[in-house]
Amino acid sequence: MATVTSSSGNTEVVTVRRTESRDVPAIISLFSSVTEDVFGRMDVTYLLELSNLALTLCNEKNEVMAHTAFLDYPNWNITDQAEWEPFLHENYPNNKCTPLNTLFVHLFVAKEGYAAGCSQEIVRKAFILLPDLQFILLFIPAEKRLGFSHSELDLGDVFERIVPAPLSHVERRFTLLACPRHRWHPQLYVRQARLEDYDDLMLIWTPQSETLKETYGEYLLVDLIEREGEENQAAVCEVGGTAVGFMSLCSDVNISLLQECFDLGPFHGLCKPHPEDILEVPRKPSVQGDEDESNQTSQQPEPVSSQNLEHVPGADAAVQKDGAVTVSQTEPLVDSQGSAAPLLETGEEGDLHPVNGGASNVFSIRLFCIDEQYKSRSLDFLQYAFNVFPDRDLCVILVPHHVPEFPLIRSFVRAVPSCPSRLGRELYVFHRAGLLTSFNVRKAATSDLEGVKRLIENLSLNENMWNDSKLFTETRTDPDGMPLQAFVAEVLDQVVGVAVTRDEMDTEYIRSHYNIEDFINFNDHQQEEHGHLFHFVLNPVFHHYAKYFLKEILRLGHKSSLYYPIYPEYVESKFQHPCAHSLTSALHYMAPVRPRRQIVYPLQELGVSAPSEQVSKDQLKYSLNLINRKLVLEPKVCINSRIVVVGASDVGISFLETLIFWPRLKFNNLTLISIHDLPGKDPLISKYRRFLINSHCFNDEDYAQMSLCAWVNVVVGKMTSINRSAKYVVVSKEKVPYDYLVLCTGQSYQALAPMGEYISEVTSQWPQRYTEKVPSNLFTLNDAQDCFEAALWLEEHRLIKSTENIIVYGNTIDTYTTVEGLLSLGIEGSRIHLVWAPPGSASPCLLEATLEQAVCEALEGARVVVHPNSILAQWGHGDNGLLTWAAFTTASTLLHLQCSAFFSFAYRTLDYDIFKAVTDACLVFDGRVVIDTEFHTNDASIRAAGPLTKFSRRYYRDELTHSNFNSKEIGFELAVSMLSLFDSKLQPSSEPPEGSDRLIPVYRRCKVQGGVLPGGYNYLHISKPGIPVPLDVEIDPYDRGTEIVTGEASQGNYFRIHFSRYNMVDSITCFSKEPFPVSNYICLYGQHERLLNDLYYRWGAGQLTDLYSYFREPWSLAIYHDRFIDLQKELHQMLMSEEVPGQLPRLKPGRPSLREPVLRYLRHHRAQLPMYAPTDPYRLLPPAAGSQGLKLDKDGHSGSSRSPTPAQEPS
């Protein structure tokens, strides 16, 4: 906070923040009579879309006092944005402005009388936010054109006039004003520490003592200053003779430990090059590195050692003693085939790692602290540090995982941890050459090809990069004729980076399939301003310049946005990610874009009214990442805390999805422990998912559009132990450390133990887990991989066409879907024995008797043998250990069946290994893992969610568990509860009501079950969250609501929709021979019957005979749109604003006022909803065949809402 004084002497306490779109009206209100004269006509909304940095100054009442917009090219269109640097040097010689260190003011407005003080605070904040920024420039019309001097602009002494060249014609039209850094936030003077600095430093040390102790351990400041010598150095930075920062340096580094715990290939193992070095090793998958960081490893540099690099004072040149310029180049970690060098050093456990024979080339930062006011200038220490150790080219710092990222390490490169790392810290590395400021980006030329070739020759995708770079220099187009652009980054005339882009032609598809408008206002961007990033390679030494490289690509290419897709690994075509795009290390600076839920269009019924092919086409799904002008200088908060998720369940995937797409934050250490790797990696396996019922939380398209593999590290195996004191879990005898552990394994089907021949009724001992070795033909299916392996086993053992029996035993709906799956494989129904287990605590298979009857008839028609309630008594093994027969006891007889395969769905509970790990770790267990309403277990570092949990008994709701709610919603809420630890904006603004911690949260999203049942029936049941019970007991005779049914189950056209007493949809059941759009029907849940085109009226008038065709009519498509909930919220707010306490009653909104938002909604989403044709303010929808149009009334509508930020709950 700061204080500004007006010209009349009034003062205001102000803060400076980044501008938001909601500030636009207040900014426009600050326009004065001279604003247009100085800056020209301005569309503020459009200007904010293009601004690299926009700052707003507010007072204590949060009123906007001033605003400034900065761009990376001159205002007034003085010259082309890509050509301003030579223009500036031609007309204003001897200036030191470069695209790296310069921004231009395009708009400044302030409250009358406060311009001078506000401008000072804004430019000071700009220099603090951007450490590399050295100059802020402003072009204003010449005094003759303006009619007054620039000194009369009330900007105080912020800007000074720059004198142009004698023959320049620019001065006739414009005057250039400049604001240099040194006047407002100068670089710090760094020197050797002295004992006299102790008192000054203690003023900084004392408030930060606890944090410093956690970060660096126990140190005495006076000892660090006194023990300076050849190996230990201490430095301070001072302002006005007062020390404001301290850094302790040490050249004695345990290199062998760091080499063991981190992948240091990109930095030559922190050693100097040696003739006997062996650098190529087969990489062991990292538990902690992500895909973005692994690319840095593939760009392994040869560090520039002090033997051939002499740094010239000023940090602007690195020259060999013979005058030749050298900057490190890339080296391979493995070759394109992944083969390793033959001679490698072997560790104790047989692991191979590089051999570095050279001397140490590194020093470390042992301790660092700086006054909060000057923390953005932390990098000023490094020039002094490298001068102190002239023979070392690398600087490292170790930081605990839980310590928030501070400005100093944002310029360092994070080293990829090895697997497993026994050093519980993050390692950051900085190369001496990274101090060079002569980083220049320009369009590639033919003369750059040799440098590009050297840069990429050892990368795995170098051929594609090389070909695209050549195409640009030769034809400027790709093989499809699309314009191609290539850019190179160079330092001292040496190529250190290359990027290849082209125009993005699929903008309509991107707009309709991704939440791109959470980041940009699409209508403010021209088609040619959207670019597609194909390749981006940058030497790791200059990784901290990646965002400036991207900024220059946008400026030089005249683009406002760049898109980077990540295709799934299984795609085999020219779109395949490994073939068409190289993995970019710039992914760290890009924002992942959440996909949008799509309408399933009835294209045949719509005919010419269907959306365009760009919107409705079915193409390969991919994960989309974005960078634009607004985001390129907006830093993300990097979270290094190790978050380990156990279980790839719907809850676990939803949790990870929420963290990945959360704005402002980037999680570097997300780890998923999964028995079968990431779901959705192989669509051939996913098709066997039909053996089990589907929750419709995620499908293969969702997994492709998330691209979890780019952000999440996967450890394949089963957790068998939790060490709470040391904070690690054991997976396949390997230790996986964590800071926060999230248990999301859910419940799974377990092998059931036979109870004995004479047990004919259910007892307290039934069911029990089978404790011996499970036969290979006893299958418990829990995911698509299990289903695939079972089907593969049946095929390999030639049981598809044999005559042997297959037993399906259980009491859940999965028994039905598995029988249908077996029939679909071609197995004869007469060989399948469906044996029903006694009903347990689980809900009935089908809640409606008519559906149960239709399925039973289908089973009979397929000749599947069905046996009533039976208890597994005994089974027998053959010589090969396989099950050959099974015996069951019923109420009257003993059933004996021969079998070649046995599918068990009778016993679903917590996996035994997970149970043992939980109980051995002394987590409270009461049939399930006990949690509170915030997902906490009795360990503050361990959370749990999903069906494996139950609420503590203090809530007195033992019957309610997470099993009764939507898993995707549970995962989202779990993530939000954890995000409050890392995102300060999520902290509650007020204390929750007293006693709210004793109430179970209300979850609102519907529960969904779907699958294919015997007879080929497509089944879907959508219900409100809660404990499912049969319909005959569910309906309260005093609160029946309304039920509408069309079709018959036996005919395969059954559709049932039930409304609550408030006329809201609370359950839907579909039972059809034909497939239907599940995602569309899920949108109907929670909607009012009036919204469904007066459904009650049409039903009473006898106009409804088929709900399937009714919900395919064009009027309904707007309801399926993912933005429809926004329209509902807007209309609801208009209706609720009729009366405001303390104000006169407002006029009731009329039909025209309610229709206007609807018309605006339809116009904005015209591409997705072309079947609607509003023509005038009073006509909502044209009449369609069999419908009267979409109706909206004054009733509020329930349902989950979409947040206006990218941090929305997934639809």
Side-chain angles (χ1 to χ4, degrees), residues 311-317 383 435 437:
H311 190 79
V312 178
D316 289 323
Q383 180 61 56
L435 293 172
T437 58

Side-chain angles (χ1 to χ4, degrees), residues 142-154:
E143 293 182 5
K144 292 183 179 179
R145 297 177 58 199
L146 199 57
F148 54 85
S149 169
H150 79 270
S151 59
E152 301 177 39
L153 291 176
D154 194 23

Side-chain angles (χ1 to χ4, degrees), residues 570-613:
Y570 57 77
V571 178
E572 294 181 358
S573 71
K574 69 176 182 178
F575 298 103
Q576 186 179 2
H577 154 233
C579 297
H581 301 79
S582 61
L583 181 63
T584 171
S585 58
L587 202 61
H588 173 87
Y589 298 100
M590 306 186 85
V593 186
R594 186 185 291 278
R596 294 177 61 178
R597 188 187 66 242
Q598 296 300 301
I599 302 173
V600 181
Y601 294 99
L603 296 177
Q604 289 186 341
E605 288 88 338
L606 290 175
V608 295
S609 297
S612 65
E613 186 180 353

Side-chain angles (χ1 to χ4, degrees), residues 972-1028:
F972 174 81
E973 296 296 338
L974 170 63
V976 171
S977 72
M978 283 200 64
L979 281 165
S980 59
L981 300 172
F982 311 111
D983 192 343
S984 58
K985 293 186 178 181
L986 284 178
Q987 299 295 337
S989 57
S990 61
E991 290 293 326
E994 184 179 356
S996 61
D997 59 332
R998 297 193 295 271
L999 299 176
I1000 291 178
V1002 177
Y1003 300 107
R1004 302 187 180 278
R1005 299 194 63 185
C1006 58
K1007 287 270 292 180
V1008 183
Q1009 274 193 338
V1012 183
L1013 303 181
Y1017 293 108
N1018 295 282
Y1019 171 72
L1020 174 68
H1021 182 65
I1022 302 170
S1023 62
K1024 60 184 177 183
I1027 303 173

Side-chain angles (χ1 to χ4, degrees), residues 451-736:
V452 170
K453 185 175 183 179
R454 287 197 306 268
L455 178 71
I456 67 174
E457 62 182 348
N458 293 308
L459 301 183
S460 57
L461 300 172
N462 56 8
E463 185 176 348
N464 293 322
M465 300 181 217
W466 172 248
N467 290 337
D468 288 342
S469 301
K470 282 180 59 180
L471 279 173
F472 171 75
T473 59
E474 293 172 358
T475 65
R476 296 293 196 272
T477 61
D478 65 10
D480 296 330
M482 298 303 302
L484 202 65
Q485 291 184 310
F487 304 90
V488 294
E490 60 179 2
V491 175
L492 302 177
D493 299 324
Q494 184 171 334
V495 175
V496 297
V498 61
V500 178
T501 69
R502 76 167 190 185
D503 289 350
E504 177 57 71
M505 304 306 297
D506 259 352
T507 52
E508 275 304 323
Y509 178 87
I510 289 175
R511 185 182 187 184
S512 60
H513 284 72
Y514 297 88
N515 282 305
I516 199 70
E517 290 181 287
D518 287 334
F519 300 94
I520 65 174
N521 186 353
F522 214 87
N523 292 330
D524 287 334
H525 300 262
Q526 301 297 319
Q527 169 72 41
E528 61 273 12
E529 291 183 310
H530 299 275
H532 186 112
L533 180 64
F534 272 96
H535 309 294
F536 185 99
V537 177
L538 183 62
N539 191 299
V541 168
F542 304 100
H543 181 69
H544 56 293
Y545 285 140
K547 59 184 177 182
Y548 293 102
F549 194 180
L550 290 168
K551 181 175 74 72
E552 285 300 278
I553 292 172
L554 292 169
R555 181 180 70 88
L556 298 174
H558 295 82
K559 304 297 182 190
S560 60
S561 302
L562 282 178
Y563 305 98
Y564 178 77
I566 300 178
Y567 286 91
E569 296 178 4
Y570 57 77
V571 178
E572 294 181 358
S573 71
K574 69 176 182 178
F575 298 103
Q576 186 179 2
H577 154 233
C579 297
H581 301 79
S582 61
L583 181 63
T584 171
S585 58
L587 202 61
H588 173 87
Y589 298 100
M590 306 186 85
V593 186
R594 186 185 291 278
R596 294 177 61 178
R597 188 187 66 242
Q598 296 300 301
I599 302 173
V600 181
Y601 294 99
L603 296 177
Q604 289 186 341
E605 288 88 338
L606 290 175
V608 295
S609 297
S612 65
E613 186 180 353
Q614 285 83 358
V615 173
S616 62
K617 64 181 176 181
D618 185 19
Q619 70 173 45
L620 295 169
K621 305 301 179 184
Y622 55 82
S623 167
L624 184 69
N625 300 276
L626 163 77
I627 190 69
N628 62 13
R629 290 181 180 271
K630 288 192 298 184
L631 295 176
V632 74
L633 294 182
E634 183 175 335
K636 279 193 173 185
V637 178
C638 291
I639 308 299
N640 287 326
S641 295
R642 296 164 296 184
I643 301 175
V644 176
V645 180
V646 183
S649 62
D650 289 338
V651 173
I653 297 299
S654 177
F655 171 80
L656 292 171
E657 178 193 33
T658 306
L659 296 188
I660 288 169
F661 289 109
W662 199 265
R664 302 181 300 274
L665 302 183
K666 180 182 183 296
F667 292 86
N668 287 328
N669 284 319
L670 294 178
T671 301
L672 174 66
I673 298 175
S674 172
I675 297 176
H676 292 143
D677 208 340
L678 284 172
K681 292 194 71 172
D682 190 345
L684 295 177
I685 293 178
S686 298
K687 72 178 183 179
Y688 291 95
R689 187 68 177 76
R690 64 177 297 172
F691 275 69
L692 297 173
I693 204 70
N694 193 341
S695 66
H696 289 285
C697 288
F698 300 100
N699 56 33
D700 285 350
E701 291 185 357
D702 297 325
Y703 294 129
Q705 291 176 320
M706 279 190 280
S707 187
L708 289 177
C709 60
W711 309 102
V712 179
N713 315 293
V714 181
V715 178
V716 179
K718 182 186 289 187
M719 182 187 72
T720 56
S721 177
I722 303 174
N723 190 318
R724 289 170 53 190
S725 59
K727 284 195 170 184
Y728 67 80
V729 297
V730 177
V731 181
S732 302
K733 299 182 180 181
E734 292 281 359
K735 297 178 181 179
V736 181

Side-chain angles (χ1 to χ4, degrees), residues 288-332:
Q288 299 170 351
D290 63 20
E291 189 171 348
D292 175 21
E293 290 146 357
S294 66
N295 189 58
Q296 299 169 9
T297 305
S298 66
Q299 302 173 28
Q300 179 181 354
E302 290 180 9
V304 185
S305 68
S306 57
Q307 296 175 356
N308 56 20
L309 178 68
E310 181 179 353
H311 190 79
V312 178
D316 289 323
V319 195
Q320 288 184 1
K321 293 182 179 179
D322 59 2
V325 176
T326 296
V327 180
S328 56
Q329 287 292 333
T330 58
E331 285 268 319

Side-chain angles (χ1 to χ4, degrees), residues 17 80 217 224 234 238 246 268 286 300 391 396 457 524 556 593 597 745 775 849 857 892 901 955 964 977 985:
R17 57 170 173 82
D80 184 271
L224 294 175
E238 66 174 38
F246 175 80
H268 209 90
S286 172
Q300 179 181 354
D391 61 330
V396 298
E457 62 182 348
D524 287 334
L556 298 174
V593 186
R597 188 187 66 242
T745 58
E857 292 174 357
S892 57
Y955 299 109
N964 306 124
S977 72
K985 293 186 178 181

